[in-house]
Amino acid sequence: MNILGIGSRIKHPEYGLGVVTNVTSKHYWVTFIESGLETIDVDSTFEIIEAVEDEVDSVSFYEVERTLKNLLQKWSDVSQVVPMADKWKGGKIILEPGTPTSNKEIPIDTFFHKIVMVRDRLRVMEQKVNASKLDEVDKIDLQQYITRIYGSLTTFNVLFKSTNDFFVGEKTK
C-alpha cells in the first residue's frame, strides 16, 4: 500500500472533499471543506482525487497552507472554511409550530452553512461600505446598522467551533 503525501486530494464518504495536511504511519490528517480538520486511518475507505508522492520533509508548511487555501477556495462557494462545533455535527433543527401541523426538520449542517454565508456577505458589505465614496457620516451610520445585525446574530455563535468565527455586535458599556 502506498502512503499518500501531504497535498494529496481525497473524497471521503462521510467528510467529503479534503486535502492531506499531515501523515503519520497510521493516520492522515485531512482538512475537509465542510468539516474542517479530521484524522482518518491510512487504510480507511476514500477516493483519491489527486495523489502526491510521500516525500518526507520535501514540502514546507507554508507551501501546504498556501496550496490548501487555493484548493479550498476553488472547491467552495465561501471565501473561508469555518468549522462547526463537533457536538452539532449530524444534528437537526426541529421547528414546531404553535398550531397542529407537522414539524419542519432542517439539518444543522445546512443551517450552519447558511449562517456562515450570511456572516461572510455581511463582511463583504462592510468592506464595500468602508471603501465607498459615501461621506463619513453615512459610512458610520451604515457601519452601525451592520454592527447591530452582527449583534442580532450572536445567538448562533454556539454553532461555531472557534470563537474567532463568532458574530460580534456592539459592546455595551
Side-chain angles (χ1 to χ4, degrees):
M1 169 178 63
N2 287 341
I3 299 289
L4 294 174
I6 293 172
S8 297
R9 296 184 320 164
I10 68 166
K11 183 175 183 180
H12 191 273
E14 180 180 350
Y15 302 121
L17 298 169
V19 176
V20 176
T21 54
N22 194 12
V23 180
T24 66
S25 60
K26 296 182 180 180
H27 298 100
Y28 293 123
W29 293 21
V30 183
T31 302
F32 291 97
I33 291 173
E34 295 294 324
S35 60
L37 183 64
E38 300 286 347
T39 305
I40 62 172
D41 294 338
V42 294
D43 59 355
S44 60
T45 303
F46 54 83
E47 176 186 343
I48 299 171
I49 295 172
E50 180 182 351
V52 174
E53 287 185 33
D54 185 25
E55 298 175 5
V56 179
D57 296 325
S58 65
V59 179
S60 72
F61 182 76
Y62 171 77
E63 291 171 318
V64 171
E65 184 178 33
R66 187 184 60 191
T67 303
L68 178 60
K69 282 181 182 177
N70 290 340
L71 287 170
L72 292 176
Q73 285 176 348
K74 178 181 175 183
W75 287 65
S76 178
D77 67 342
V78 293
S79 59
Q80 179 185 11
V81 174
V82 179
M84 183 170 58
D86 293 337
K87 69 180 179 179
W88 301 112
K89 290 181 181 176
K92 60 186 170 187
I93 294 172
I94 301 172
L95 301 172
E96 188 175 305
T99 59
T101 57
S102 59
N103 293 348
K104 171 78 173 166
E105 292 185 8
I106 304 166
I108 290 180
D109 300 51
T110 301
F111 182 76
F112 179 71
H113 177 70
K114 291 181 184 294
I115 289 294
V116 170
M117 287 182 359
V118 167
R119 191 206 57 188
D120 289 347
R121 289 174 182 157
L122 272 172
R123 287 180 176 172
V124 170
M125 183 189 311
E126 190 172 26
Q127 291 168 352
K128 289 188 179 225
V129 165
N130 290 334
S132 74
K133 294 180 180 180
L134 293 169
D135 62 48
E136 288 304 309
V137 173
D138 288 338
K139 281 185 185 183
I140 291 169
D141 192 36
L142 288 171
Q143 183 61 48
Q144 287 176 344
Y145 279 107
I146 292 170
T147 302
R148 288 185 202 122
I149 293 168
Y150 283 133
S152 298
L153 295 170
T154 58
T155 300
F156 302 113
N157 285 345
V158 68
L159 296 172
F160 291 93
K161 189 170 194 168
S162 170
T163 57
N164 294 331
D165 295 319
F166 280 10
F167 288 102
V168 179
E170 271 184 319
K171 303 286 187 219
T172 54
K173 295 177 182 168

